[in-house]
Amino acid sequence: MFEFCERIWINANLATFDPAVERPYGALFNQAVGVSDSRIQVIAPMETLDAARLPGKVTDARGGWLTPGLVDAHSHLVYAGSRAKEFEQRLLGASYEEIARQGGGILSTVRATREASVKQLVELSEPRLKALLAEGVTSVEIKSGYGLNVESELNMLRAARQLGERHPVRVSTSLLGAHALPPEFQDDADGYIDLVCNELIPAAVAEGLADAVDVFCETIAFSPAQCERVFQAAQQHGLGIRAHVEQLSNQQGAALAARYGAWSVDHLEWLDEAGVEALAAAGTVATLLPGAFYFLRDTKLPPIELLRKHRVPMAVATDLNPGSSPLASLRLAMNMACTLFRLTPEEALAGATRFGAQALGQAGEIGQLKVGMRADMLLWDIEHPAELAYQFGVNPIRQRIVDGEPSHA
Ligand code: NIG
Ligand code: FE
């Protein structure tokens, strides 16, 4: 069965996250994994194969652990400018919402981003992407949302696509036109939503720039009715749906997004049980963003117990952005999910693999070590997969594998 494999990893312990493997982490011990045509072709216990007769290129994992490549299912990593001054303002007492209402916040990043060319956006974003990749991210979602006009939103998405072409990582893009109200539409939020639905979404689709839409459903952003119009336009164009909801208040945005079959709803600190039930019924992933909770010094915890009770899949992502989560480390996000939200290390790693993949609408392709899946894998020098959420600031990656090929960040 290994005879047709181009590459084989031997003597590996696997955290498969395959639900059919009914053990914590979907763990399989002392295995061999064979890969060809970018996909996992075979997984078998070492004792069933004759190590002397293996074809292809063989890597001896020497008892290390293979996990699925990490999936960062929520990032705003393409942007220009810095918000360090706002960090200072907040430390002197201003709140995130106050800064936003005074024209700072998201709008300050919009000003800087509109001035940048696609090339500049790529160059400015590359260090952030590289930081994620070095820690094991093999798939990343990147949003627009700092352009807020047709040209600049498309430029952000073009930059995101280019990053995916230049680096060994899968990039999934989300058009977050409805992120904040641009100054040109000061008193006309509905007019801006018209632009998003009638011009921006069709233009992005025509260029193949967007995999999904995203919205910010919040008192300082867009109402549920406005978000619903964006969801309808997305459905008409065959795009996936995701949404920032229940971050600063409960607008019932999660239930709305679930009604439209959203892949994921994100943040969720103010989510209530009715919202959780709606997610469970729709199979929508709850994406937790502990970096934003930490950085905004939030105190309202997302309802983890209710999400568990209703078996809603939980993803964990960085929310990497200049304002609320300047965090280019999915490993640290996993640790924060444990320390701040009380996820178990297994839930945190599942959230950065299997359920991250589901949050991107790619559950059948990535996020598990399973025959047929894309061979995006990480080989770690660790004794146990709980170490990946436990420790931060050290990087125990021995090998990073994308589409079956060892690759450096
Ligand atoms: O995910 N919630 C809205 N958007 C971002 C913050 C963006 C910003 O402050 O620049 C978030 O937290
Ligand atoms: Fe976000």
Side-chain angles (χ1 to χ4, degrees):
M1 32 182 190
F2 283 92
E3 50 268 31
F4 303 109
C5 292
E6 291 154 16
R7 289 185 183 274
I8 300 165
W9 282 259
I10 61 170
N11 298 315
N13 297 314
L14 312 183
T16 66
F17 289 101
D18 176 353
V21 180
E22 287 173 10
R23 241 179 264 137
Y25 300 88
L28 295 172
F29 300 94
N30 204 22
Q31 302 283 306
V33 178
V35 166
S36 56
D37 299 326
S38 310
R39 290 183 190 272
I40 297 173
Q41 304 293 347
V42 44
I43 296 176
M46 282 304 291
E47 57 268 22
T48 64
L49 59 101
D50 180 353
R53 295 182 46 206
L54 290 176
K57 295 176 186 153
V58 177
T59 303
D60 188 349
R62 302 189 303 272
W65 281 81
L66 280 172
T67 68
L70 300 186
V71 180
D72 187 355
H74 183 138
S75 95
H76 308 245
L77 74 82
V78 170
Y79 63 84
S82 160
R83 304 256 287 278
K85 288 228 168 62
E86 282 177 20
F87 182 44
E88 279 186 331
Q89 275 177 278
R90 283 204 294 114
L91 285 164
L92 294 172
S95 75
Y96 183 74
E97 286 103 318
E98 277 161 14
I99 293 170
R101 288 209 176 86
Q102 288 158 13
I106 292 173
L107 288 183
S108 99
T109 302
V110 170
R111 287 189 285 276
T113 301
R114 283 180 174 181
E115 279 171 23
S117 65
V118 175
K119 185 164 176 280
Q120 286 168 328
L121 288 174
V122 169
E123 284 167 6
L124 290 166
S125 306
E126 233 152 21
R128 299 187 276 267
L129 179 67
K130 283 184 180 168
L132 292 178
L133 268 51
E135 280 195 340
V137 168
T138 55
S139 293
V140 62
E141 185 259 12
I142 302 178
K143 302 174 196 300
S144 66
Y146 294 123
L148 309 186
N149 62 31
V150 174
E151 196 50 31
S152 298
E153 284 291 300
L154 296 186
N155 279 348
M156 288 187 72
L157 296 174
R158 291 178 185 125
R161 288 281 194 237
Q162 282 188 25
L163 287 166
E165 285 154 17
R166 288 186 188 196
H167 297 274
V169 62
R170 289 174 213 290
V171 169
S172 174
T173 54
S174 302
L175 177 61
L176 177 54
H179 192 198
L181 191 60
E184 303 78 36
F185 285 85
Q186 192 79 66
D187 298 308
D188 187 16
D190 288 313
Y192 179 61
I193 294 294
D194 287 343
L195 176 93
V196 170
C197 296
N198 303 334
E199 293 183 45
L200 189 46
I201 290 176
V205 168
E207 239 185 276
L209 289 173
D211 299 314
V213 297
D214 199 337
V215 299
F216 188 15
C217 186
E218 192 55 67
T219 51
I220 57 167
F222 296 95
S223 69
Q226 289 161 344
C227 294
E228 183 163 14
R229 291 181 53 209
V230 177
F231 297 158
Q232 286 166 347
Q235 272 189 343
Q236 280 160 17
H237 286 91
L239 298 177
I241 289 172
R242 41 198 320 115
H244 290 69
V245 298
E246 278 59 291
Q247 178 187 11
L248 307 169
S249 63
N250 186 351
Q251 303 289 313
Q252 312 288 330
L256 170 69
R259 276 208 301 285
Y260 281 85
W263 287 339
S264 169
V265 289
D266 306 37
H267 284 289
L268 306 172
E269 280 78 359
W270 291 79
L271 183 66
D272 58 21
E273 188 156 14
V276 174
E277 282 168 353
L279 299 183
T284 297
V285 175
T287 297
L288 305 172
L289 306 172
F293 176 92
Y294 159 82
F295 196 68
L296 297 180
R297 301 189 74 234
D298 225 327
T299 50
K300 176 101 174 133
L301 285 161
I304 303 299
E305 268 317 321
L306 289 175
L307 291 165
R308 283 187 184 126
K309 176 177 151 197
H310 293 280
R311 297 180 176 281
V312 175
M314 294 182 279
V316 174
T318 61
D319 195 16
L320 171 47
N321 77 68
S324 69
S325 186
L327 170 66
S329 170
L330 186 52
R331 291 270 320 286
L332 183 50
M334 287 160 56
N335 177 269
M336 288 177 173
C338 297
T339 52
L340 300 174
F341 294 171
R342 313 309 289 163
L343 262 63
T344 65
E346 184 189 358
E347 286 173 325
L349 186 53
T353 54
R354 179 180 168 205
F355 297 127
Q358 193 177 331
L360 298 183
Q362 293 179 30
E365 284 284 297
I366 55 171
Q368 297 174 42
L369 299 182
K370 187 174 164 180
V371 170
M373 290 273 180
R374 292 266 173 199
D376 291 0
M377 312 190 289
L378 304 165
L379 174 56
W380 305 90
D381 284 319
I382 52 173
E383 305 265 312
H384 191 277
E387 285 169 49
L388 299 179
Y390 153 72
Q391 204 176 27
F392 49 94
V394 288
N395 189 357
I397 287 189
R398 197 193 315 165
Q399 201 178 40
R400 183 177 180 278
I401 301 137
V402 177
D403 268 340
E405 289 296 318
S407 82
H408 293 283

